[in-house]
Amino acid sequence: MAKIKQKKQSSDEWFDAVVTNGLSFLHSSVERLENDAKFAIIDLYTAIELFFKARLMKEHWALILTKPDEANKVKFENGDFQSVYLKQAVNRLEKICGEEFDNAAIENFNALNGHRNQLVHFAHTDFFHGNSSVVIEHWASWYYLHNLLTEQWRPYFESYEDKFQQLQRKVNKNKGYLSAKFEALKCQIEIERKKGNEIEECPSCKLESAVITKTYNWGHDIECLVCDVKKLKLKDIRTEIKCDSCKKSMEYFMLTDEFCPHCSAEITPEYALEQYSYLYEKEDPDCLIQDGCDYIAYCHTCGDKKPSVVYVDGLWVCVFCEDRGWTATHCNHCDSFVTGDVQRVEDFACHRCEDEVRDDILAGFN
């Protein structure tokens, strides 16, 4: 077997090369989905494995090898090695990196792998009998992968976010197969309504086909009958603020990007926070928007140094990361007004002072 020689590269260069390769397979998958679903499935699963390997490489390049204890940098650079499959990659990310994955996402990726194996190693009868179920799983796989790359793995893939969003825009245009399934499921959707189940628009395929399975104060769990996506859909926040440019009102938390829907002026989170602060001042002129004010809390999720959580539409919502549903309370130790687990804040400390409190406790044992 002829050896493959590749140029010497740094760890960052190898990471970029793997991500770029994954992106090329994603583009191919999206472009082929309508007319050549078979290769779209193969390309998408290949991309999924590549991104899992790229995430492993962020810890150490040897982790993508089936036998890391036999790692050889020269062989790695020449492509002379066996790499992990998805199951191994997931296992290592969970046990070594402390990652936690959505079970529905991993199950979907594994199902896609099963279809891919049938296509590559034998044959897949669904592609010869007009069955669209496999194509629908393709949509769900892209949805879960996109969420993984832009949310959970955002710190590792942030520099590629524009390319991910470009792909997302392409995917949103390829809905012919989803519309066909939606039409076929109209009777079933109506049966769900008659059972008393609430149906609403799916955040993934944008069709009115998502069954609400459980309701919380901050949103509800949904299962889409068309694209099979299962996720928590957060409660819509409708309180409006005015654009600084055109002065027209907009629902900031409902924007899909940071631009005014009327004049396309940029609407930054900092500006939105300022505007929601003004709303509080109108309701209570004696309230000072500063540290300790009972109207703006520190967010324990994004940990920003500036108070960024506002009380809107009956929920505490962070203007920066948009996490919602938590209770805001004063910390007994540092008196900061924060969100988080109230019991933990009262019994131990908040996210702003927990390190200091922990150090004080440990010092007491020395």
Side-chain angles (χ1 to χ4, degrees), residues 11-16 18-19 50-64 93 97 99 153-160:
S11 296
D12 287 341
E13 288 173 328
W14 276 116
F15 174 79
D16 181 68
V18 174
V19 174
L50 285 169
F51 281 109
F52 269 83
K53 290 173 185 178
R55 170 64 186 94
L56 280 172
M57 288 180 69
K58 274 298 181 181
E59 299 300 317
H60 196 281
W61 61 268
L63 288 177
I64 75 166
L93 287 169
C97 308
E99 293 269 11
W153 286 350
R154 186 177 181 183
Y156 310 103
F157 296 96
E158 192 169 6
S159 61
Y160 304 93

Side-chain angles (χ1 to χ4, degrees), residues 60-243:
H60 196 281
W61 61 268
L63 288 177
I64 75 166
L65 308 182
T66 54
K67 296 180 179 180
D69 55 316
E70 298 178 5
N72 181 302
K73 192 66 178 289
V74 175
K75 287 186 176 181
F76 170 76
E77 291 175 344
N78 288 331
D80 185 13
F81 64 90
Q82 286 188 319
S83 62
V84 295
Y85 296 110
L86 179 65
K87 185 176 181 180
Q88 294 170 298
V90 171
N91 187 51
R92 289 181 185 180
L93 287 169
E94 288 177 337
K95 293 184 177 179
I96 298 175
C97 308
E99 293 269 11
E100 293 182 2
F101 296 104
D102 181 350
N103 287 334
I106 300 303
E107 287 174 6
N108 177 268
F109 293 157
N110 287 332
L112 196 73
N113 182 30
H115 296 309
R116 177 258 180 198
N117 287 340
Q118 288 293 317
L119 289 166
V120 172
H121 300 297
F122 188 57
H124 203 309
T125 57
D126 274 356
F127 284 92
F128 299 101
H129 294 87
N131 193 316
S132 63
S133 62
V134 182
V135 180
I136 300 305
E137 283 186 340
H138 176 287
W139 168 264
S141 290
W142 163 251
Y143 178 80
Y144 290 127
L145 178 62
H146 182 261
N147 270 11
L148 194 59
L149 294 171
T150 59
E151 294 182 16
Q152 184 172 328
W153 286 350
R154 186 177 181 183
Y156 310 103
F157 296 96
E158 192 169 6
S159 61
Y160 304 93
E161 193 164 340
D162 287 346
K163 293 180 180 178
F164 296 149
Q165 296 308 329
Q166 180 184 355
L167 275 166
Q168 181 64 38
R169 287 192 289 272
K170 279 188 176 183
V171 168
N172 287 338
K173 295 176 181 178
N174 291 289
K175 292 184 177 179
Y177 62 97
L178 288 176
S179 297
K181 186 175 182 182
F182 177 69
E183 290 297 321
L185 288 174
K186 276 188 174 180
C187 290
Q188 184 180 336
I189 292 171
E190 191 57 36
I191 289 172
E192 291 294 333
R193 284 199 174 99
K194 288 179 179 178
K195 288 179 181 178
N197 294 324
E198 189 176 348
I199 306 290
E200 66 172 37
E201 181 181 286
C202 173
S204 174
C205 65
K206 306 301 180 185
L207 296 170
E208 196 171 342
S209 52
V211 181
I212 296 176
T213 57
K214 192 171 182 179
T215 300
Y216 313 95
N217 181 44
W218 57 89
H220 42 254
D221 290 331
I222 62 102
E223 291 185 12
C224 181
L225 298 176
V226 172
C227 68
D228 298 324
V229 163
K230 301 175 184 178
K231 72 167 298 191
L232 169 66
K233 184 178 181 183
L234 297 174
K235 178 182 176 182
D236 291 342
I237 304 298
R238 298 289 183 177
T239 298
E240 298 180 341
I241 59 174
K242 287 187 177 180
C243 172

